[in-house]
Amino acid sequence: IMLLMMRGILEQKESPQKGMSFETYHKSYAVKKIITYLNENYERKISLDQIARNMYLSPVYISKIFKDETGETPINYLIKIRLEKARQILEKEGDSSIKSIANQVGYEDVYHFSKLFKKYYGVSPLFYKKTQGAREEIGAKESGPGADAQERMDSGTGIRD
């Protein structure tokens, strides 16, 4: 692989070709591998150093190419994956504890998980869980406690008027 990479770099310097450069291809490929890894392992303890070691790249380089390709850092991307999975679990499994859900998506510290969840969704995971149950009980009705709670979640405040 290294030989192919070096050959690609040397050929690129020798001939001014149009199209995707080898370096760009390598960056895109590396970012796709990181995204796949994060999606498949979000519930595990993951660090930028660990990803860098697995890919034989430096953490600084990984952060740079990931942000260049996606617009966000690898850690923020991981947080979004984890919180979206947590939200899905909260919607499906009303009987699971917040601590259990936090653990399922890779957080050992339930307080940290709750703070991040509230930052991203505007309400605590417990409030979200309760309002999801309320919405299921009232069905498709447009009014009532579930609709009111959903409006607060949609507005991002989570505060009653």
Side-chain angles (χ1 to χ4, degrees):
I1 295 175
M2 289 298 291
L3 182 59
L4 291 173
M5 289 172 53
M6 292 304 295
R7 184 182 298 160
I9 291 170
L10 292 175
E11 287 174 2
Q12 187 180 41
K13 288 180 182 176
E14 292 172 5
S15 62
Q17 296 178 341
K18 298 232 178 201
M20 186 185 298
S21 71
F22 182 80
E23 185 177 327
T24 303
Y25 172 78
H26 177 68
K27 286 180 185 179
S28 296
Y29 177 78
V31 170
K32 285 178 186 172
K33 294 297 276 183
I34 294 166
I35 288 171
T36 299
Y37 179 80
L38 294 175
N39 280 310
E40 292 175 355
N41 297 283
Y42 66 88
E43 74 282 354
R44 296 189 175 134
K45 190 172 187 174
I46 297 175
S47 71
L48 191 56
D49 288 334
Q50 176 191 16
I51 295 169
R53 279 193 307 273
N54 290 345
M55 296 195 70
Y56 303 103
L57 298 169
S58 80
V60 172
Y61 181 71
I62 285 178
S63 288
K64 182 185 178 340
I65 64 170
F66 197 92
K67 185 149 187 164
D68 288 349
E69 295 284 321
T70 67
E72 57 192 339
T73 67
I75 299 307
N76 281 344
Y77 189 86
L78 175 61
I79 289 169
K80 285 183 177 180
I81 292 170
R82 286 176 168 172
L83 293 177
E84 178 58 27
K85 297 292 183 182
R87 189 183 63 75
Q88 291 170 2
I89 294 169
L90 284 165
E91 289 175 0
K92 291 178 185 172
E93 302 174 21
D95 57 341
S96 295
S97 71
I98 302 301
K99 181 176 176 141
S100 169
I101 293 168
N103 290 334
Q104 287 179 54
V105 297
Y107 291 104
E108 294 176 9
D109 182 355
V110 71
Y111 178 72
H112 180 66
F113 164 73
S114 293
K115 279 180 51 176
L116 285 173
F117 192 95
K118 186 166 186 171
K119 178 182 174 185
Y120 275 79
Y121 293 112
V123 294
S124 71
L126 184 59
F127 183 83
Y128 190 87
K129 178 180 169 180
K130 286 179 181 178
T131 58
Q132 290 305 305
R135 272 204 303 179
E136 288 174 14
E137 288 174 18
I138 62 169
K141 289 184 183 175
E142 298 258 332
S143 62
D148 183 46
Q150 184 61 41
E151 285 176 26
R152 288 193 309 277
M153 284 190 290
D154 291 342
S155 70
T157 63
I159 300 169
R160 294 183 192 270
D161 292 330

